[in-house]
Amino acid sequence: MEQQVWCDAHPVYVSKGSLDIALLQLKSVPIQLSSIKPQLDCPSQGSVVHVIGHGLLGPQSKCRPSISTGILANVVAIPEPLHICGPIKTDISKESTPVMLQTTAAVHPGASGGPVINSNGFMIGLVTSNARHGGGTIIPHLNFSIPCAALEPIFRFSDTGDSSIFQVLDKPNQLLSSVWALVPLPSRKPQPHSENKNPKDEKGSRFSAFLAKNAEIASLKEVDHLKKLKLNSKI
């Protein structure tokens, strides 16, 4: 069994915004270290994922990190691009940005900060929390991660070393906060109606509103179910 190597590190950034993240920088990089490349594109729901971490036995044990496999059960996105203001700019042509991943891989206390890896070996997210029953019992197979797309400033810092990049992560974002608080996203302002209405268009609009209303009810039921389970912010 390979001997574990402990490395000194210092904190570079602790988020003051909606995302529960912190960044540590190694004082020296060991030659045994193998880097994992991030995938900034939106991952595919239903794909196989692997979570790496020390959740069961802890890094102090002589055992190597555990790997649990599951399915990317849900990808939650907000209907706008992230990080388009400030010192960095991403592709503003994106209509939505993934901000939360839900997987069925087993995640236990102590696994926070572990990577979520896809079947191609790319990092697609960072484990942050899992759900609990009302009595406090952890649900290992219901956990949440931050997609790499939402962590793009972190990866930009590794290339540039410019700490001002982090400012965009600390800016208030109502949509992002709503997702991680497990509440429905704020609705957009309704479009103004035209004075010359076509009866067929009006009928179609009522049908569209009916479908949207039912979708909203289904979404609220799912959110209420998750809120009853409780979201543990640290694992």
Side-chain angles (χ1 to χ4, degrees):
M1 181 179 295
E2 296 181 7
Q3 184 178 2
Q4 290 189 359
V5 178
W6 292 89
C7 302
D8 292 330
H10 64 275
V12 174
Y13 168 74
V14 178
S15 174
K16 303 179 184 67
S18 303
L19 298 178
D20 184 17
I21 55 174
L23 178 64
L24 300 178
Q25 187 171 32
L26 295 176
K27 294 183 178 179
S28 61
V29 180
I31 59 175
Q32 302 94 328
L33 182 66
S34 298
S35 61
I36 303 176
K37 293 184 178 180
Q39 176 181 303
L40 300 181
D41 296 332
C42 182
S44 301
Q45 185 172 328
S47 58
V48 176
V49 295
H50 313 280
V51 174
I52 304 175
H54 290 279
L56 283 174
L57 302 176
Q60 291 81 7
S61 67
K62 295 183 179 180
C63 297
R64 303 183 69 177
S66 61
I67 301 176
S68 60
T69 300
I71 298 297
L72 182 57
N74 193 18
V75 179
V76 181
I78 59 175
E80 64 179 29
L82 275 180
H83 317 317
I84 61 174
C85 300
I88 66 170
K89 295 182 182 295
T90 58
D91 183 6
I92 61 175
S93 64
K94 294 180 180 179
E95 295 182 355
S96 63
T97 305
V99 293
M100 176 189 280
L101 306 179
Q102 178 188 337
T103 83
T104 63
V107 169
H108 300 274
S112 180
V116 182
I117 309 297
N118 64 14
S119 56
N120 295 321
F122 290 95
M123 176 181 173
I124 62 171
L126 186 74
V127 177
T128 62
S129 57
N130 60 357
R132 292 175 180 264
H133 288 291
T137 306
I138 291 175
I139 308 175
H141 295 280
L142 179 54
N143 49 79
F144 306 93
S145 305
I146 304 174
C148 286
L151 298 174
E152 186 172 356
I154 299 292
F155 299 111
R156 292 283 187 93
F157 171 78
S158 66
D159 294 331
T160 65
D162 182 8
S163 59
S164 64
I165 288 177
F166 300 136
Q167 295 176 6
V168 70
L169 289 171
D170 293 332
K171 291 185 177 181
N173 188 309
Q174 184 181 7
L175 292 177
L176 193 59
S177 298
S178 297
V179 169
W180 283 97
L182 298 181
V183 298
L185 296 179
S187 59
R188 291 184 171 181
K189 294 182 179 180
Q191 297 293 330
H193 295 285
S194 174
E195 294 182 359
N196 299 323
K197 294 182 179 179
N198 187 315
K200 292 184 178 180
D201 293 340
E202 186 175 356
K203 184 177 180 180
S205 298
R206 289 200 303 268
F207 182 66
S208 299
F210 170 78
L211 293 178
K213 183 65 176 179
N214 279 271
E216 182 180 355
I217 292 173
S219 176
L220 287 173
K221 288 181 178 178
E222 182 178 355
V223 168
D224 289 340
H225 174 67
L226 288 175
K227 289 175 71 175
K228 290 178 182 178
L229 294 175
K230 292 186 178 180
L231 181 62
N232 184 26
S233 62
K234 296 285 186 180
I235 58 174

